[in-house]
Amino acid sequence: MDQPHSGADDLLFEIKGGIGWVTFNRPQARNAFTFAMYERLAEVCEQADGDRSIKAIVFQGAGDKAFASGTDINQFRAFKTPQDALDYEGRIDRVLTKLEQCRVPTIAAISGACTGGGAGIAACCDLRIGTKTTKVGFPIARTLGNCLSMSNISRLTALIGPARVKDVIFTARLIGAEEAAHVGLLHEVVEDHPALMQRADELSKLIAGHAPLTLAATKQALARLQKRLSREEGEDLIVSCYMSQDFREGMDAFLNKRAPQWKGE
């Protein structure tokens, strides 16, 4: 069910002293993303690409309970055809690629849950700071029964390696801050939410004062090192999950707060 408004209130963007601050603003839904929020995220990245006064962007969730908990499940209920699933993953891929390729350094300030699409967004940021309450994961194998796109698998594998990707997805567990820092999902952990905001402010100002061409060239060089399969090469995998009886069962179980009964079909 799409939001009746533009989504402007759900994703806030302000610029303070050359630093862009993005807030995912649906704390009542653990900052779950609507389609409008994904589009707004892409717009923010485009704005930063064209505005040289913006030197860095910090992403945060409203409140301290969640950074973002993925796509709002209600957005999936209208899926009827393989094209619906492919269009959805195409949209997410386009938005996350915009974030990943954004001209300026990006910092994810992660407090609480960072799961599913939220963890995908964090993985696209250049730096990730967490607190002791941060939990990161892709619990789709026990919740919805869908799968990650080829691009998201690529990003995650580049960050933590194939064996850990299997561990995270197969066990569907959420990784605590200490382990997340150890495996590379976080690069720094601070005590609590106030300390997180202070550190995000310090770090963004530090980076904003450095040579923008050096930072941009470093981002580009690393992107060129990571050659990827195209999204089309993973379309059969997307369709096999999103069009399955298991995905319908996963959604129904999730929305009705019961355990899903998987059939593998």
Side-chain angles (χ1 to χ4, degrees):
M1 188 172 68
D2 279 318
Q3 296 292 306
H5 57 76
S6 68
D9 296 336
D10 292 340
L11 192 150
L12 307 173
F13 181 50
E14 61 175 334
I15 302 165
K16 297 185 287 191
I19 313 294
W21 288 81
V22 173
T23 304
F24 310 139
N25 190 37
R26 296 183 74 219
Q28 76 285 358
R30 295 171 74 80
N31 301 322
F33 261 62
T34 62
F35 287 166
M37 288 170 72
Y38 280 116
E39 295 303 334
R40 182 75 184 114
L41 180 60
E43 288 170 9
V44 165
C45 294
E46 286 172 1
Q47 183 178 339
D49 284 340
D51 184 347
R52 296 284 161 176
S53 71
I54 299 174
K55 305 296 187 187
I57 303 178
V58 178
F59 297 89
Q60 63 180 339
D64 60 1
K65 299 290 188 291
F67 174 74
S69 58
T71 304
D72 191 317
I73 304 303
N74 289 307
Q75 308 282 272
F76 292 130
R77 297 175 86 172
F79 281 22
K80 296 282 192 296
T81 68
Q83 197 59 46
D84 290 333
L86 296 176
D87 288 347
Y88 165 72
E89 285 295 349
R91 178 199 297 258
I92 303 305
D93 194 42
R94 172 173 53 79
V95 171
L96 293 191
T97 298
K98 285 265 187 205
L99 172 56
E100 191 175 38
Q101 295 178 354
C102 187
R103 176 184 63 82
V104 303
T106 53
I107 299 167
I110 304 167
S111 188
C114 177
T115 55
I121 289 168
C124 288
C125 291
D126 299 314
L127 300 172
R128 287 164 296 283
I129 319 167
T131 73
K132 291 186 173 179
T133 67
T134 297
K135 291 191 182 309
V136 185
F138 296 86
I140 52 177
R142 66 173 162 81
T143 55
L144 290 185
N146 59 333
C147 62
L148 298 186
S149 70
M150 195 61 82
S151 297
N152 276 327
I153 287 281
S154 295
R155 289 184 188 101
L156 202 53
T157 303
L159 269 181
I160 64 176
R164 286 198 175 109
V165 171
K166 289 176 185 173
D167 171 28
V168 167
I169 300 217
F170 288 12
T171 63
R173 67 196 175 90
L174 300 187
I175 297 172
E178 189 177 330
E179 185 185 356
H182 177 68
V183 302
L185 288 169
L186 294 176
H187 91 276
E188 188 175 341
V189 178
V190 297
E191 186 66 29
D192 53 22
H193 191 257
L196 180 70
M197 292 299 94
Q198 182 180 341
R199 182 61 183 138
D201 187 55
E202 288 171 359
L203 188 60
S204 60
K205 284 176 177 170
L206 173 73
I207 291 169
H210 292 160
L213 296 181
T214 300
L215 305 181
T218 302
K219 285 187 73 159
Q220 276 293 314
L222 289 167
R224 292 178 192 183
L225 273 178
Q226 293 169 21
K227 296 297 181 191
R228 295 203 181 128
L229 294 177
S230 71
R231 183 171 53 82
E232 289 73 24
E233 288 170 281
E235 285 188 343
D236 58 323
L237 306 176
I238 299 295
V239 170
S240 72
C241 288
Y242 280 92
M243 291 296 105
S244 67
Q245 290 178 39
D246 273 358
F247 182 61
R248 293 277 150 201
E249 164 67 7
M251 269 197 298
D252 188 69
F254 188 91
L255 293 167
N256 289 294
K257 296 181 168 53
R258 63 174 177 82
Q261 303 295 311
W262 308 118
K263 293 181 178 173
E265 54 192 44

